[in-house]
């Protein structure tokens, strides 16, 4: 009798990828919803300064949620179909419908490219000259400082610290390169969006791991110990298997734009 497919490492890779995307993305969206609630509360109280503060924070999140999470949602749907093998492609199990439904998400809230340009062009460079990234990474670094001594959290804190330094360096590098290469912001935008998304999701997985480790240490969690251990294991998977994707995006985004713009339009034909 053959083993169940869940015992195969590659099947687990696909399932864990879906779980990491779903639970990490959900945490990001919940926090964005909190920011929207705080905006509404500030408006009700007539506190314009607080309203603008939360509006700026939500504005930074929005293109990442709309662009990065929809791309990863499509990836998760495709993995879900792939796990079923040939049966995933037929209507019987419903996976093909999920994959088709997920596909539209990268388009109808503004295409991924539009969200990417909004992030790097408007929110990061024009509106704040990189300050929004500096402020956000400062928040992450404060979190890392609080958890650097925790045996469960040490590696997450170190990886996040490195990602924060790289995120700021890449932002400055693109800002400076744009003085000479007018197309680099556009050519780098999607890679920058995806880098930012993976970095942000890493922060939310680290936060989940931090809460899980605290509950395990205290022994007073509302969930079972196995639930909290699973959270830490999925966070480990994310940091080991998905966060490294940032490095490909980092390398690509700082390359000059000439390879994208040098080919003349008539040579985009697929006829030859």
């Amino acid at each position: 009798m053959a083993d169940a497919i869940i015992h195969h490492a590659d099947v687990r890779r696909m399932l864990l990828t879906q779980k990491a995307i779903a639970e990490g993305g959900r945490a990001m969206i919940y926090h964005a919803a909190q920011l929207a609630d705080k905006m509404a509360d500030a408006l009700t109280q007539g506190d314009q300064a607080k309203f603008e503060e939360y509006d700026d924070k939500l504005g930074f999140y929005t293109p990442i949620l709309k662009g990065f999470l929809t791309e990863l949602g499509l990836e998760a749907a495709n993995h879900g179909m792939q796990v079923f093998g040939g049966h995933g492609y037929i209507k019987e199990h419903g996976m093909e419908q999920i994959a088709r439904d997920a596909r539209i998400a990268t388009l109808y809230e503004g295409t991924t490219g539009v969200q990417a340009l909004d992030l790097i062009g408007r929110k990061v460079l024009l509106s704040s000259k990189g300050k929004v990234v500096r402020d956000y990474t400062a928040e992450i670094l404060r979190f890392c400082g609080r958890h650097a001594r925790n045996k469960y959290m040490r590696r997450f804190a170190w990886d996040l610290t490195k990602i924060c330094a790289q995120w700021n360096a890449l932002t400055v590098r693109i800002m400076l390169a744009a003085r000479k290469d007018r197309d680099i912001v556009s050519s780098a935008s999607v890679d920058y969006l995806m880098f930012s998304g993976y970095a942000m999701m890493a922060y939310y997985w680290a936060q989940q791991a931090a809460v899980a480790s605290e509950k395990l240490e205290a022994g007073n969690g509302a969930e079972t110990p196995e639930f909290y251990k699973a959270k830490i294991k999925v966070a480990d998977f994310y940091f080991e298997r998905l966060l490294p994707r940032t490095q490909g995006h980092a390398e690509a985004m700082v390359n000059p734009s000439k390879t994208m713009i040098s080919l003349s339009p008539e040579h985009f034909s697929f006829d030859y």
Side-chain angles (χ1 to χ4, degrees):
M1 184 176 179
D3 289 337
I5 63 171
I6 199 169
H7 296 296
H8 293 277
D10 189 58
V11 172
R12 284 174 169 257
R13 172 188 63 83
M14 292 186 283
L15 293 172
L16 279 164
T17 298
Q18 292 174 80
K19 186 173 177 66
I21 290 170
E23 295 179 15
R26 195 177 298 140
M28 293 163 68
I29 292 169
Y30 286 165
H31 185 75
Q34 286 183 332
L35 292 174
D37 287 346
K38 289 177 180 178
M39 281 176 60
D41 186 55
L43 195 62
T44 301
Q45 295 180 18
D47 191 335
Q48 187 63 27
K50 280 293 182 184
F51 176 84
E52 291 177 2
E53 176 188 343
Y54 294 128
D55 186 41
D56 287 343
K57 289 181 178 180
L58 185 59
F60 176 61
Y61 271 73
T62 299
I64 296 174
L65 301 183
K66 288 184 175 182
F68 171 75
L69 285 187
T70 55
E71 289 288 341
L72 262 64
L74 177 60
E75 178 186 346
N78 283 330
H79 282 316
M81 191 164 67
Q82 190 75 11
V83 168
F84 279 75
H87 285 276
Y89 200 71
I90 62 177
K91 290 185 177 181
E92 182 179 358
H93 299 292
M95 296 307 300
E96 51 83 32
Q97 182 68 55
I98 293 172
R100 287 193 288 126
D101 290 346
R103 182 64 185 86
I104 191 63
T106 64
L107 303 170
Y108 68 10
E109 280 290 339
T111 64
T112 303
V114 169
Q115 300 300 338
L117 278 173
D118 179 49
L119 175 65
I120 189 172
R122 190 152 66 101
K123 305 293 173 53
V124 174
L125 299 184
L126 290 178
S127 297
S128 71
K129 293 181 172 55
K131 183 177 183 298
V132 67
V133 175
R134 293 193 296 274
D135 289 347
Y136 190 69
T137 53
E139 175 189 328
I140 298 174
L141 290 171
R142 287 193 293 271
F143 168 86
C144 293
R146 291 194 301 272
H147 296 281
R149 295 178 181 272
N150 184 311
K151 65 180 180 180
Y152 293 109
M153 296 299 300
R154 204 170 292 129
R155 62 81 48 91
F156 300 139
W158 175 237
D159 286 351
L160 281 172
T161 299
K162 291 188 291 183
I163 281 290
C164 286
Q166 188 177 25
W167 198 353
N168 280 290
L170 289 167
T171 302
V172 172
R173 190 168 173 182
I174 293 170
M175 194 184 310
L176 294 175
R179 297 176 180 178
K180 296 181 179 179
D181 184 349
R182 67 178 186 178
D183 292 299
I184 196 167
V185 172
S186 179
S187 67
S189 61
V190 171
D191 285 303
Y192 189 88
L193 169 76
M194 298 304 288
F195 181 99
S196 302
Y198 284 118
M200 182 179 282
M201 187 175 279
Y203 177 38
Y204 281 92
W205 265 114
Q207 290 180 73
Q208 292 184 69
V211 172
S213 67
E214 288 166 6
K215 297 297 183 183
L216 285 171
E217 290 282 356
N220 62 354
E223 306 293 341
T224 64
E226 288 72 26
F227 172 86
Y228 297 116
K229 289 175 183 177
K231 282 290 185 184
I232 295 170
K233 287 183 182 296
V234 179
D236 279 332
F237 172 83
Y238 182 87
F239 272 76
E240 287 188 1
R241 295 286 177 164
L242 299 185
L243 187 59
R245 295 179 181 182
T246 53
Q247 299 315 299
H249 292 298
E251 185 176 345
M253 76 173 78
V254 295
N255 284 325
S257 65
K258 62 183 179 181
T259 54
M260 290 192 186
I261 64 172
S262 61
L263 188 67
S264 53
E266 60 269 20
H267 291 142
F268 278 84
S269 171
F270 297 142
D271 294 338
Y272 58 92

